[in-house]
Amino acid sequence: MTYIKDITQKIIDLLKADVNLSEPDKIAKYYFGIPKKVEYYPIIYVQFNGRDYTGKADINRFLYSLKYEIGIVDRQVSEDDAEKSVYDKIEQIECVLDANPTLDNLVIKELEPREIRVLRAVEEDYAIAWAQIFASWRKWLP
């Protein structure tokens, strides 16, 4: 069973399929997990952050919470442009996830509201904005 990889890839595929998040037109590159080095911006990564037991079970299965992080990183000369770019992508990603809450029936539904964090950094003459969207879905597993 490869449910972790399948769900991660499904999230990437759904995001890539959106016209506002397409690769390479709108997003330079998608990554399976956080990249070590980024050459072109903006990027989106999706990574699995862990699994927790929800306390629910039936005869043959247990219900788990699968925790994922979707990251958006952009680098611009202007701080405003980096921030605005990341904000737009946060909202578009939420629209994509809201439109397909079961990720094409790979999961049951999201377990809790999404948490979003935005971090900022400077690299030479560039402003970097980095958003993290934390989402968790439920899945029955043996």
Side-chain angles (χ1 to χ4, degrees), residues 90 94 114-118 131-134:
I90 289 169
E94 288 206 294
R114 293 180 206 118
E115 181 182 333
I116 298 173
R117 293 186 196 143
V118 179
Q132 298 166 294
I133 301 171
F134 297 97

Side-chain angles (χ1 to χ4, degrees), residues 45 47 49 67-71 94 97 110 112-117 131-137:
Y45 66 86
Q47 76 174 16
N49 281 351
K67 299 181 182 302
Y68 282 85
E69 176 182 336
I70 302 167
E94 288 206 294
L97 296 178
E110 281 191 82
E112 55 206 30
R114 293 180 206 118
E115 181 182 333
I116 298 173
R117 293 186 196 143
Q132 298 166 294
I133 301 171
F134 297 97
S136 60
W137 286 271

Side-chain angles (χ1 to χ4, degrees), residues 122-136:
V122 176
E123 180 183 63
E124 297 176 7
D125 293 333
Y126 294 97
I128 297 174
W130 173 18
Q132 298 166 294
I133 301 171
F134 297 97
S136 60

Side-chain angles (χ1 to χ4, degrees), residues 54 62 78 82 88 116 128 136 139:
T54 65
F62 299 96
S78 166
D88 289 342
I116 298 173
I128 297 174
S136 60
K139 183 160 183 74

Side-chain angles (χ1 to χ4, degrees), residues 26-73:
K26 304 291 182 178
I27 302 299
K29 187 160 175 68
Y30 280 83
Y31 292 90
F32 203 97
I34 292 179
K36 290 182 182 179
K37 184 177 179 180
V38 178
E39 294 181 22
Y40 302 102
Y41 294 88
I43 63 120
I44 291 178
Y45 66 86
V46 179
Q47 76 174 16
F48 176 69
N49 281 351
R51 178 181 88 179
D52 294 327
Y53 176 53
T54 65
K56 295 183 180 178
D58 66 14
I59 295 173
N60 299 319
R61 309 175 300 172
F62 299 96
L63 186 61
Y64 288 95
S65 168
L66 308 176
K67 299 181 182 302
Y68 282 85
E69 176 182 336
I70 302 167
I72 309 140
V73 184

